[in-house]
Amino acid sequence: MKQYDNRAWLLVLPALVIVTFVGILPLIAVTNYSFLDLFSLNNPYWLGVEWYRNIVASERFYSSLGRSFLFSAIVLSIQLPLGIWIALLLQRSHRFIVSTVLVLITIPLVVPWNMIPMIWLNFINPNVGLAGRMLEWSGVGFDYKFNALHTWIVLVVMDTWHWLGLVVVLSYAGISSIPPAYYQAAAIDGASRWHIFRFIQLPKMKTVLSMALLLRFMDSFMIYIEAFRINAGGPDGATAFLSLDLGEEIQAFNYGPAAARSIVHFLIVMTVAWAFKAATGTRKPVAMEPVR
Amino acid sequence: MKSLSLTGRIIVFVVLGAFILVPLAQTILISFVSTLPRDGIPEGHFSLVNYKNILLSPVLKEAILNSIIYVLLNVALCLGVGLPAAYAFARYSFVADRQLFFLLLVFRITPTVVLSLPIFVLFAQIGLVNTPVGIALVHCVFNIPISIWILEGFISAVPRELDETAFLDGHTLVSFFFRHLIPAVAPGIGVTAFFCFIFSWVEVVLARILTTTGGKPITMAINALFGFRTDVGLVMAMTVLALVPGIAMIYFVRNHLAKGFVVRT
């Protein structure tokens, strides 16, 4: 049982002050902008929901929204199972292998985001790139610039290259926090590997996996620089994600429309996060835990 | 589910390693190649000219310094305010504690681009644009939540007796933090610093909007290298240098990552 003491607020306060300054205040400001016409910042003109109406009325918004959700769905359904599987393989490996694989797989995480498309464009370049020349030589007819499917494949593979490490590190952290007693008990009960995974490992990984899932959803849903640099939303808008329009408005410093779009994106991300929490929030019994 | 044999696992790991390393290998190779026609060096041949050019360029050297300054500041800030907050969440219950924890996590998953315009306006008013300090501060919005989240798990794993005996011995909260708590959760601090580092080092949206004219970090300095005749070799050499601190960081915390860490809500 934790001690009840409101003086603990004093310990939280510095963190809260900074988050208020760089998070809460800007969020309030951006909400405010979204209802205004700000030709210049000193000349606000109240518009009400005009910007929102423009967004909701445009067909482009819905097709972009659909593409963004599709991208997130593909990316999550590849990276989460793959990451969990690798973490499970690591769990039964020698310590040296574990640290080597973890070092390797986290390297893409420290590559600045604007350099990732550069690295990949070079890699798949048909004249100089290793993968590009291989594909050229094998005669696949790979063309990421004009073939929508190929652009999608490049984006998904690139995103997996970039982010798989995060899922693996978090999953592995969850798995290795399970005390050996759980496995011994499972062995006595004659549990199959699937049962161990389903009733011991998965519940114990729940917290870290939810974090991995939310982070991956948010970043893939808002993918901008990586996708833009590869093919600028092309071919023919096939990879024009939701963040593309927002990026343009922000580059142009169109405060009102950019703010309204920002709020829409914020609400979508929060709704998905909330729905996810509601769907997984009901506690199912976990092996070896007393029923509460 | 069938268990994979040792050979099977090794094959999976080798394939994985190749998938990660091969795209990078090309970048590293190009960084050692002269990609523009220059006197004395044939184009497309091995040379160290790109790295030499970075050393000769004050702009690029300053960018490296800026990046290091802001990332160190950010990690220090996040640990400095994150550790007491994580301790409070791990040891005490207080009014609205769960709501506050949830609010912090909300800011971790708020897309940074949402906050970029008002942050630019706000920071411009108080003179925090075009300086590494501004970037360090603004990256706290996603790094403070992550540091509290990770540290809370580590502190919860420390038995409460550590606190109680220390306070009985007459330690104040501050001296308890430095003498007992920090040594006890040192691996946690390493892991937290690692996560703060990677999320801050690679971020480009806020870093770009806050450094329009000066104080550019490595990422923005690389963007500025693109032009009419881009020196691809130079760009790749900068990218390789941008990887060095991150890889060093990974190397330092590899055993703590490999040991795993407990996180809970």
Side-chain angles (χ1 to χ4, degrees):
Chain A
M1 208 30 225
K2 287 184 197 171
Q3 209 179 323
Y4 185 84
D5 192 341
N6 272 323
R7 282 179 301 175
W9 262 98
L10 291 176
L11 295 172
V12 188
L13 206 60
L16 189 63
V17 168
I18 296 184
V19 169
T20 305
F21 184 63
V22 295
I24 298 175
L25 285 183
L27 196 59
I28 294 171
V30 81
T31 315
N32 186 26
Y33 294 164
S34 72
F35 295 109
L36 300 174
D37 189 4
L38 287 161
F39 188 65
S40 79
L41 276 177
N42 307 319
N43 252 324
Y45 174 75
W46 179 262
L47 265 187
V49 294
E50 182 71 28
W51 300 129
Y52 290 98
R53 197 176 295 144
N54 289 348
I55 296 171
V56 178
S58 79
E59 216 150 274
R60 191 186 156 97
F61 171 73
Y62 295 101
S63 46
S64 300
L65 183 67
R67 279 189 288 265
S68 284
F69 270 121
L70 181 63
F71 182 71
S72 287
I74 295 176
V75 155
L76 284 175
S77 60
I78 292 174
Q79 292 174 7
L80 280 184
L82 190 60
I84 295 172
W85 184 60
I86 293 170
L88 286 171
L89 290 181
L90 282 177
Q91 190 234 341
R92 279 169 278 134
S93 301
H94 187 266
R95 264 195 65 158
F96 175 74
I97 297 182
V98 176
S99 46
T100 313
V101 171
L102 286 181
V103 166
L104 276 179
I105 207 164
T106 38
I107 289 175
L109 290 176
V110 299
V111 182
W113 289 7
N114 56 344
M115 293 322 294
I116 283 174
M118 271 295 305
I119 290 174
W120 277 83
L121 281 178
N122 247 293
F123 186 53
I124 58 175
N125 184 305
N127 299 321
V128 295
L130 289 173
R133 272 187 299 187
M134 281 271 275
L135 288 165
E136 191 84 350
W137 172 78
S138 64
V140 182
F142 185 77
D143 185 357
Y144 69 93
K145 279 237 179 292
F146 294 104
N147 185 322
L149 179 68
H150 292 176
T151 311
W152 272 80
I153 292 173
V154 170
L155 288 180
V156 169
V157 171
M158 181 178 75
D159 197 76
T160 305
W161 180 82
H162 185 182
W163 285 109
L164 188 61
L166 186 74
V167 184
V168 172
V169 167
L170 288 178
S171 307
Y172 184 76
I175 291 177
S176 49
S177 70
I178 302 171
Y182 282 58
Y183 295 113
Q184 288 152 12
I188 292 169
D189 289 346
S192 69
R193 191 161 288 290
W194 165 252
H195 278 115
I196 293 177
F197 175 69
R198 172 65 191 81
F199 294 106
I200 297 177
Q201 290 170 323
L202 202 57
K204 278 288 175 185
M205 287 176 5
K206 208 181 97 176
T207 319
V208 273
L209 278 185
S210 344
M211 199 63 189
L213 189 136
L214 284 179
L215 287 177
R216 283 313 303 122
F217 167 71
M218 189 265 282
D219 283 327
S220 60
F221 189 72
M222 296 303 295
I223 185 168
Y224 175 62
I225 300 223
E226 293 103 313
F228 187 75
R229 289 272 171 83
I230 291 289
N231 212 354
D236 202 18
T239 54
F241 298 119
L242 211 50
S243 49
L244 214 74
D245 293 327
L246 177 59
E248 277 165 23
E249 308 266 30
I250 287 183
Q251 298 264 300
F253 283 86
N254 285 334
Y255 288 93
R261 270 186 199 285
S262 298
I263 293 294
V264 170
H265 295 186
F266 176 75
L267 290 178
I268 294 171
V269 170
M270 288 307 140
T271 310
V272 172
W274 175 82
F276 170 73
K277 199 173 153 40
T280 58
T282 43
R283 263 184 85 85
K284 298 190 182 68
V286 175
M288 286 181 77
E289 266 186 13
V291 180
R292 282 170 221 203
Chain B
M1 224 160 55
K2 227 176 77 209
S3 160
L4 223 58
S5 69
L6 182 67
T7 346
R9 265 185 283 153
I10 300 282
I11 292 171
V12 172
F13 292 146
V14 168
V15 170
L16 185 70
F19 173 58
I20 298 293
L21 287 182
V22 172
L24 274 180
Q26 174 142 37
T27 300
I28 296 169
L29 278 178
I30 296 175
S31 78
F32 287 107
V33 168
S34 168
T35 50
L36 284 185
R38 285 188 183 86
D39 289 341
I41 311 164
E43 200 181 332
H45 275 245
F46 173 85
S47 97
L48 288 170
V49 70
N50 299 315
Y51 291 96
K52 211 174 83 196
N53 281 348
I54 292 175
L55 284 180
L56 291 176
S57 155
V59 180
L60 294 180
K61 272 194 296 187
E62 201 201 315
I64 295 173
L65 192 66
N66 283 336
S67 272
I68 291 172
I69 292 174
Y70 93 72
V71 87
L72 287 180
L73 253 177
N74 176 265
V75 170
L77 256 176
C78 290
L79 286 176
V81 303
L83 197 66
Y87 179 75
F89 281 117
R91 288 290 196 254
Y92 298 103
S93 64
F94 44 94
V95 174
D97 51 353
R98 290 199 63 82
Q99 287 80 353
L100 186 61
F101 198 77
F102 187 72
L103 176 88
L104 289 171
L105 287 185
V106 162
F107 277 104
R108 181 57 191 87
I109 58 166
T110 301
T112 45
V113 63
V114 166
L115 304 171
S116 58
L117 273 182
I119 279 179
F120 172 74
V121 174
L122 183 69
F123 278 39
Q125 275 162 359
I126 51 177
L128 277 176
V129 287
N130 299 330
T131 133
V133 182
I135 309 179
L137 203 58
V138 83
H139 283 177
C140 285
V141 73
F142 47 82
N143 272 348
I144 284 180
I146 212 91
S147 65
I148 294 177
W149 183 66
I150 297 172
L151 284 171
E152 200 259 355
F154 276 95
I155 295 174
S156 297
V158 175
R160 196 183 294 270
E161 285 75 39
L162 182 83
D163 312 27
E164 282 156 5
T165 37
F167 292 136
L168 282 180
D169 287 347
H171 279 286
T172 61
L173 190 62
V174 176
S175 75
F176 161 70
F177 260 67
F178 283 99
R179 293 283 185 75
H180 293 284
L181 188 67
I182 292 177
V185 295
I189 291 178
V191 171
T192 310
F194 168 72
F195 275 99
C196 289
F197 174 90
I198 60 170
F199 288 127
S200 178
W201 186 256
V202 300
E203 203 279 340
V204 285
V205 175
L206 293 169
R208 176 168 62 187
I209 203 150
L210 284 180
T211 57
T212 40
T213 54
K216 284 187 194 293
I218 294 180
T219 44
M220 295 304 114
I222 293 175
N223 267 0
L225 289 179
F226 287 91
F228 175 58
R229 268 175 82 205
T230 307
D231 189 349
V232 181
L234 185 65
V235 170
M236 291 310 186
M238 262 318 254
T239 308
V240 172
L241 283 188
L243 288 179
V244 172
I247 292 174
M249 192 83 193
I250 295 172
Y251 185 76
F252 285 130
V253 296
R254 72 192 185 286
N255 286 328
H256 298 309
L257 289 179
K259 240 181 261 160
F261 47 93
V262 196
V263 272
R264 53 187 97 185
T265 41

